Amino acid sequence: MEHIDVAVIGGGQSGLAAAHALLRRGLRPVVLEASGGTAGSWPRYYDSLTLFSPARYSSLPGMPFPGADRDRYPHRDEVVAYLTAYADRLDADIRTGRRVTSVRRDGSAFDVVLEGGGRFGARAVVAASGTFGRPHRPALPGLEEFTGQVLHAADYRSRVPFAGGRVVVVGAGNSAVQIAAELAGAARVTLATRRPVKFAAQRVLGRDLHFWTARTGLDTAPLGRLLPHPPAQPVLDDGRYRAALASGRPDRRPLFTGADGAELIWPDGQREEVDAIVLATGYRPNLPYLASLDGALDAGGSPRHREGLATGVQGLAFVGLEWQRSLSSNSLRGVGRDAERIARRLAAHLARQ
């Protein structure tokens, strides 16, 4: 069995930021990525996805996002290329095609088991596997009885397969609104939400909103520990999405109350045949490999931590959780700050061993 300093589980933006920070502390991490690349979940997001933050606020430590226009909103494929280039420049041991199936205690260290039977002995572990592998599918009225197509936003790629159809998108966040507006160009679309969509202006006083959250300190304020449940984020809008909803493309309705075969039942009693439901209902931390590690997760499978350090397992840390420490914790612009804090704490822990 190979013995290493730190096993970083996940080779996307969080894992790469963690590896960068650990290297700066003199540690030699091994990054274990389940897929065949080093761009995390980004290649699997829908084709038209663009960042909600400008390029100047979308970088990992040590490498600015490329391009002359620092105020543009990068496309998904630009992010994939950026993360791939970042990994190539990083002097780290990154091993793709290595899916971790379990992490267990082995004395003061950890036994990290891979799919296929490989294993590592690690002095510390950083869980940086993100959320994309665990789409949240809430219990919605009638969803189990609905006989049309049901897919999560994780499986949505483009509007082409839905052309001419009747589609309901469930959700009130950025992705839900962006997907619904895109689909409305090819299909009849309703955005179904429990409450009205909340918008925030993309630009304020001539500056992108991220300029103001950075300038005021809101982006880095350690508010995560004060929030037992992450608050819903408003939809960032330059005006196009409010205009789309106002024009009825898509229209917005309260969430359906049931289903009968391929028909959805709306709160006013109307029944309507629907071809597909797209669940843009978010994600949850994807940490099944920690299920056998006592104290790592709560009963719902969420990590037990304080600002990324496991509260019940010494030597275990997390990077890339939503509101791990701040508003920007699970973003390109913020994950590096959290990774640096975690690396400093882990280095101190290992120095005491």
Side-chain angles (χ1 to χ4, degrees):
M1 179 167 59
E2 185 177 354
H3 293 273
I4 59 177
D5 278 343
V6 185
V8 177
I9 303 174
Q13 65 188 39
S14 301
L16 295 176
H20 179 274
L22 290 164
L23 286 167
R24 282 168 46 85
R25 294 282 164 181
L27 297 170
R28 300 299 300 179
V30 173
V31 179
L32 302 170
E33 165 58 33
S35 74
T38 53
S41 58
W42 285 98
R44 292 176 284 165
Y45 285 122
Y46 51 97
D47 295 345
S48 64
L49 177 67
T50 57
L51 292 182
F52 305 113
S53 56
R56 70 172 68 249
Y57 298 109
S58 302
S59 301
L60 295 179
M63 182 175 162
F65 205 98
D69 183 2
R70 305 281 289 142
D71 293 318
R72 78 186 190 286
Y73 299 93
H75 181 264
R76 176 202 66 184
D77 293 346
E78 292 183 82
V79 180
V80 172
Y82 170 77
L83 291 174
T84 302
Y86 190 93
D88 289 342
R89 288 180 50 175
L90 194 62
D91 183 24
D93 185 350
I94 301 174
R95 307 187 192 185
T96 58
R98 304 293 199 278
R99 181 178 298 278
V100 175
T101 58
S102 70
V103 177
R104 294 183 173 86
R105 264 295 186 199
D106 182 12
S108 62
F110 297 91
D111 183 19
V112 180
V113 181
L114 306 182
E115 189 174 71
R119 62 199 316 135
F120 292 87
R123 299 172 65 207
V125 170
V126 175
S129 48
T131 61
F132 191 83
R134 190 184 171 195
H136 177 52
R137 297 176 181 266
L140 300 178
L143 193 62
E144 296 299 320
E145 290 76 37
F146 180 67
T147 57
Q149 182 183 10
V150 179
L151 68 156
H152 193 275
D155 301 309
Y156 173 80
R157 291 296 174 269
S158 79
R159 66 189 185 183
V160 173
F162 305 93
R166 180 71 176 100
V167 183
V168 173
V169 178
V170 177
N174 282 289
S175 293
V177 173
Q178 194 176 76
I179 290 171
E182 175 179 274
L183 280 167
R188 229 166 21 98
V189 181
T190 290
L191 182 68
T193 69
R194 296 187 187 277
R195 56 191 64 86
V197 179
K198 294 183 179 179
F199 291 99
Q202 183 79 61
R203 299 186 70 82
V204 178
L205 299 176
R207 299 271 199 168
D208 183 88
L209 183 64
H210 293 86
F211 168 85
W212 298 109
T213 57
R215 178 61 64 91
T216 60
L218 177 61
D219 214 37
T220 58
L223 302 176
R225 61 188 176 189
L226 305 177
L227 302 170
H229 303 288
Q233 299 293 313
V235 175
L236 297 184
D237 185 28
D238 60 5
R240 78 182 82 173
Y241 297 124
R242 267 175 282 210
L245 285 170
S247 71
R249 300 186 64 195
D251 72 330
R252 192 203 74 83
R253 302 187 193 182
L255 190 65
F256 47 84
T257 58
D260 182 5
E263 290 184 335
L264 290 185
I265 305 169
W266 297 103
D268 61 3
Q270 177 189 0
R271 290 170 172 258
E272 183 181 19
E273 189 167 324
V274 170
D275 296 302
I277 297 174
V278 180
L279 302 174
T281 46
Y283 303 84
R284 299 293 183 266
N286 186 32
L287 302 164
Y289 49 85
L290 296 180
S292 300
L293 187 59
D294 289 344
L297 307 177
D298 65 17
S302 294
R304 298 176 59 209
H305 73 101
R306 182 180 176 86
E307 297 188 344
L309 279 180
T311 54
V313 184
Q314 286 195 339
L316 173 66
F318 303 91
V319 175
L321 301 175
E322 186 179 13
W323 284 98
Q324 176 169 310
R325 187 170 188 270
S326 69
L327 169 67
S328 59
S329 281
N330 67 334
S331 70
L332 281 165
R333 70 186 186 277
V335 69
R337 286 187 290 267
D338 284 3
E340 179 59 35
R341 289 176 56 85
I342 290 305
R344 184 171 66 248
R345 302 290 184 84
L346 286 182
H349 165 72
L350 294 178
R352 293 193 296 267
Q353 283 189 341

